Amino acid sequence: MTVVFFKAILFFILSLIYFYSVSGYGKILLNTFNYKNITNNFFELFIYGIIFKLIFGFFIYISIGNNEYFNLFILVFGLYFYFFYKKKLNIFSFKYLSFFLLTTFTVLLISKTHEDFGFYHYFSIDEIFNNKLRIGTYLINQNFFYSSLLVHVQSLIVLPFLEYKLIHFPIFFIYFSVIGYFIFLIFNSINKTERFFSLMIVMILLIKFNRLTEFGFDYISQFLLLVVFHKIYFYKNNKIELMMALHIFTFCILIKTNSLLFSPILLYMLYSNKLRFIISLITYKNFIFYLMIFILLTSSFFRSGCVFYPINKTCFEKEKIFWSEKKNIKEFSEFVSLWAKAYHAHIKKGSKYDLITDQKEYNKKFNWFKFWVEHHFFYKVFEFLLIISSIILIIHFYLIREKPNIKKFSIENNILFILSSSSIFLWLITIPQFRFGFSTIIIFFFSFFNYFLKLEVNINKKKILILILLSLFILNLKNIHRIKDRFERDDLWKFTNFPFYNTENVDKRKLKEKHLLKEKFFHIEILKPNPN
């Protein structure tokens, strides 16, 4: 028991070190901006630090390759940047940061990883960490072509002795930093509506999204899109903040390309800035945006033979690019679309409606919609709608206490309502799975309730703290119950290596993957056609 306790303390200390180290790299990027024109939100340091590490990790992968001791050097060097590199942003007190981390730490204590982790996430990290650039990795595992580029960040936290035990840090701390970003705003913003929105987001993330096992890469990109919306809506006249929103949005696309479904809401930036914002894109301060676009397109080409794999027309024919899998990628995209629209659940589980087995017929004229409502909407989305509505009403009646009434006409709110509706429609007709669109749903509900309620919160630290602490209590109650259950299990997901996740299932899959690689493909630095 003593050993377990000290391992947990070590894990906590390592997590703090990682947060400050990545934040140090964030200072490098944020020092390219004019501090007088930005909000100085402390948690932006980590968000920009993750962006820096993805860019850095990608260029390491295509050049010299990686190893555990190099990663250790990078970790330590980040601490130097945080504590000694130029001037600081508003510093969140160490004791408050430690307390905040302690109150959310149960999220990071997992034994069972999410479903896709052992399927391909782990091997994507393994591929990046153990190899220099290899062209056509789609041929090794067809899931590699759409694997998140965040694996370049995770590959930089493979350390001596600890190996892959800390690879969930980037995912957890994005979640942690988004919550911290909005908590910072709750107590520092002078805009009452901004304070309401921030408190709403904090409560939603703590109450609904409290299991790291569910996060994957889709969830964290959606978390960051909430930061993007905050900047373009509340700082619409600040060019630097809008530029930062564009950076984070592009980063979300690098994490998961389905973040593009958020694009209609991004058009809100043009509402008040129009050509001035477009012109600002060519400034030197926007080099991060162009670097990330370069990484997005280059990585897509190296992996799949497509300039941008979600658009099949950008894929080269196999006769021109030997590793191109244009046909297979198109078939896979169609499979994902059918899966998202509950086709496979409809076939496997049956339905109260007449079955449609023909895939083309299923996709026609919204034939799929009733099956999607039956198998997915009431299973995932409806519950979330109730949670959002409840939180908005709780904040309103607990902190504001004004009777609902139809508010005066607002051009801004109408534009937001139309754009968020457009984004939801785009999500609905492409990949209508909860994980790919919940940020847009939150924004839609915020704009909808804004027609009837006064969504403005005055500073009342006692009441606000009660709501935040209640949300943290729910988060920890659910996670402590989960951890207790993992200790009591007797199956593969029993907590046998607390506080680290269980790798037994992953290791078995890894052996199988290596066997397939040996039997079917060419184990060389750059994959190329068989001369025979």
Side-chain angles (χ1 to χ4, degrees), residues 22-35:
V22 175
S23 297
Y25 289 105
K27 286 181 65 178
I28 296 176
L29 290 188
L30 286 176
N31 266 282
T32 62
F33 303 116
N34 184 352
Y35 283 97

Side-chain angles (χ1 to χ4, degrees), residues 104-115 168 171-172 175 179 204-216 219-220 223 379-380 383 474-483 485-486 489 493:
T104 55
F105 193 60
T106 53
V107 177
L108 192 53
L109 303 176
I110 62 171
S111 176
K112 180 184 181 298
T113 53
H114 61 85
E115 285 72 12
H168 287 113
I171 294 174
F172 168 76
Y175 168 74
I179 296 174
I204 290 173
L205 295 190
L206 290 175
I207 293 171
K208 171 60 180 174
F209 302 100
N210 43 48
R211 292 177 57 196
L212 186 65
T213 53
E214 290 183 347
F215 286 5
Y219 280 63
I220 56 173
F223 298 154
Y379 176 64
K380 283 282 188 179
E383 176 197 27
I474 294 172
L475 175 142
N476 283 285
L477 186 66
K478 293 168 72 173
N479 278 304
I480 289 171
H481 175 74
R482 171 186 56 81
I483 293 167
D485 175 69
R486 293 294 182 264
R489 292 175 73 147
W493 299 116

